[in-house]
Amino acid sequence: KYKTRDILYYREILLAKIEDREPLPKEDKKFDELYIISNSPSAKSTSNKESPKWIPDEESACCLICNSNFNLFNRRHHCRRCGKVVCKMCAPSKNSRPIMEWGMVEAVRHCKLCYKSPLITWV
């Protein structure tokens, strides 16, 4: 999943849109390096930056984004990027993508504040 050179370039295009800049050219050697890193056996243990500490479940009785209370039907989820405790509306399972810089090559859940897709408008 998410290991082909084309996917890495698509990721660069999306990040460039988010950061309001021009994407790197597809021929850039950065994509070769990312492709090699993402396919290496140690990719899961490689990290350039520490992932955040998760906020413990006991410290939050409600979603830290929309303030809805947690209960049997409104479960807690942790954003893998910021560590916040959020509800399923603020971190839908569709908000999943890898965090390559932390060595997470499989798609992981993000809250709507961290996901920031240029293709999604949040209300």
Side-chain angles (χ1 to χ4, degrees):
K1 245 182 174 182
Y2 302 107
K3 294 182 184 178
T4 68
R5 197 171 196 283
D6 289 334
I7 293 295
L8 293 172
Y9 184 65
Y10 177 70
R11 178 180 179 267
E12 168 61 17
I13 292 171
L14 289 176
L15 288 174
K17 284 183 181 181
I18 291 168
E19 296 166 1
D20 196 29
R21 62 174 173 82
E22 289 296 314
L24 295 172
K26 193 171 186 176
E27 299 77 30
D28 195 300
K29 292 190 184 254
K30 174 185 176 187
F31 299 110
D32 291 328
E33 293 166 11
L34 283 173
Y35 181 71
I36 291 167
I37 289 170
S38 67
N39 284 308
S40 72
S42 62
K44 290 186 179 179
S45 63
T46 304
S47 68
N48 298 337
K49 183 180 173 186
E50 289 277 322
S51 55
K53 295 211 180 229
W54 282 11
I55 296 172
D57 288 347
E58 310 81 49
E59 288 186 19
S60 183
C62 63
C63 174
L64 295 176
I65 296 177
C66 71
N67 294 322
S68 64
N69 289 323
F70 294 121
N71 56 41
L72 184 62
F73 301 104
N74 190 24
R75 296 181 45 218
R76 291 174 171 85
H77 298 280
H78 284 88
C79 173
R80 301 311 194 270
R81 171 112 11 217
C82 66
K84 288 181 182 171
V85 180
V86 294
C87 68
K88 66 182 175 186
M89 297 303 291
C90 293
S93 59
K94 291 181 181 179
N95 281 15
S96 297
R97 64 179 177 198
I99 306 176
M100 300 298 281
E101 60 269 24
W102 297 343
M104 295 180 184
V105 294
E106 296 295 320
V108 292
R109 192 180 290 242
H110 288 67
C111 70
K112 66 183 182 181
L113 299 178
C114 292
Y115 193 71
K116 295 182 187 170
S117 172
L119 307 175
I120 298 174
T121 306
W122 295 101
V123 262

